[in-house]
Amino acid sequence: MAAPGRDPSQSPRHGPLGRNAQRRHEASGPTVSGRHLGVAPPPKPLRYTTPAYPFHHLVSDGVWEVRTDRGPGSPGSGVRELREVGAAGRLTPELRAALRREPSLLGRMARVLLDLNFPPSLHGDLCEAVGLELEPTETEQFSAVRRRRDPRMREQVLTAYEYQCAFCGYDGRIGTVPVGLEAAHVRWWAFDGPDDVDNGLCLCSLHHKLFDKGVLGIGDGHRMLVSQRFVGHSPAAREHVIALAGRPLIGPQPGARPVAAVHRSWHACQVFHGSPRPATTV
């Protein structure tokens, strides 16, 4: 078991049944993984917490155990006190045994955590960051018990925005089939975002990813927000991201419901990074 506090980005990747002892950074759930990827994982805590907080409190969930130089048990949720006693954590023996008996359980658990905490556009990044590859067969039989998305939403949102990206106007097709256009939830589906047109945007793949990572947002008057924390020096970054600041969204068409204020506010508070850049001048 390794002591907590080391940068997880410096640790080697390992398989699901390899090393079970995880540093607190690696085992603290979506909050740490999200920050590591530059994702703002909602909901934001009501008070400040550290990566040590879930490392300590996972013990009460019955899936995690902590040992220190003094023996079993966590000394508390503070980073300093955990480091001082050489605290290290790992999955409980029962869960480790269950994973050995049924390796596919890991994939099903991971899929549930992803569905409950992050939009699909970020699932691949999160899995890659921890070295986890999810096979479809690992999750198919469990999907029946998960909350179902409304399959009509994509068509309704793309129609409302006339099959063009609300940020850049991209409208590519192969024949009659749209390519690279997606229906994005403004309030994440994983956090009770409804499958309604007024919670959706038609976005190209690039701007969907930037929107879900908090680089882009929607401000008053349905104008585009660009985070001051975004840095890009290439002409492409300036043209496709920075230059969007202050521009009005493209769409929806007359008669279609625009993004509701309550969903815009949620995204601005829970996902968008920092302060917006001032509007660009043409």
Side-chain angles (χ1 to χ4, degrees):
M1 290 184 287
R6 184 177 173 183
D7 182 359
S9 65
Q10 303 302 316
S11 61
R13 293 181 177 179
H14 47 81
L17 302 179
R19 289 172 43 212
N20 289 302
Q22 300 290 310
R23 283 180 280 278
R24 63 174 176 80
H25 285 82
E26 296 171 326
S28 54
T31 299
V32 177
S33 297
R35 293 294 181 198
H36 179 66
L37 289 171
V39 179
K44 290 180 179 176
L46 297 178
R47 61 187 180 86
Y48 176 74
T49 60
T50 71
Y53 185 85
F55 180 84
H56 166 77
H57 284 280
L58 279 171
V59 174
S60 62
D61 292 335
V63 298
W64 188 250
E65 62 180 15
V66 175
R67 292 182 176 272
T68 71
D69 298 338
R70 303 169 185 169
S74 173
S77 60
V79 174
R80 179 178 297 179
E81 54 191 332
L82 285 164
R83 286 176 174 167
E84 286 177 348
V85 296
R90 64 180 181 179
L91 300 175
T92 60
E94 295 81 6
L95 186 51
R96 297 201 307 271
L99 287 168
R100 291 190 183 98
R101 288 194 305 270
E102 190 179 355
S104 64
L105 179 63
L106 177 67
R108 301 203 301 273
M109 291 166 56
R111 179 61 64 192
V112 169
L113 291 173
L114 289 169
D115 284 349
L116 291 179
N117 292 281
F118 296 96
S121 67
L122 302 183
H123 291 184
D125 290 349
L126 290 164
C127 289
E128 183 178 358
V130 298
L132 180 64
E133 295 184 7
L134 295 183
E135 298 294 335
T137 55
E138 292 179 326
T139 59
E140 284 172 354
Q141 61 190 31
F142 201 73
S143 62
V145 301
R146 299 202 308 266
R147 176 186 164 206
R148 293 287 188 177
R149 297 173 185 266
D150 187 342
R152 299 170 298 177
M153 181 189 176
R154 180 180 184 275
E155 183 66 25
Q156 291 171 348
V157 170
L158 267 60
T159 298
Y161 286 84
E162 300 181 285
Y163 291 83
Q164 57 181 341
C165 175
F167 281 109
C168 68
Y170 168 82
D171 61 354
R173 297 170 180 260
I174 294 180
T176 60
V177 180
V179 178
L181 286 173
E182 301 162 359
H185 282 75
V186 179
R187 181 185 180 105
W188 291 1
W189 182 87
F191 285 83
D192 300 320
D195 290 330
D196 297 333
V197 170
D198 64 1
N199 186 42
L201 286 173
C202 177
L203 298 178
C204 67
S205 301
L206 170 64
H207 290 122
H208 189 176
K209 179 63 70 68
L210 295 175
F211 186 68
D212 281 347
K213 285 207 168 186
V215 173
L216 299 174
I218 310 170
D220 294 338
H222 292 84
R223 291 187 174 272
M224 305 176 200
L225 303 179
V226 179
S227 172
Q228 289 183 342
R229 297 180 184 176
F230 175 81
V231 177
H233 301 293
S234 67
R238 291 195 296 270
E239 177 183 354
H240 297 298
V241 184
I242 296 173
L244 299 179
R247 293 182 182 177
L249 286 179
I250 301 171
Q253 61 176 287
R257 291 174 295 165
V259 177
V262 64
H263 302 319
R264 287 193 288 111
S265 177
W266 183 92
H267 187 276
C269 292
Q270 303 291 353
V271 181
F272 187 74
H273 277 283
S275 300
R277 288 172 173 264
T280 57
T281 56
V282 179

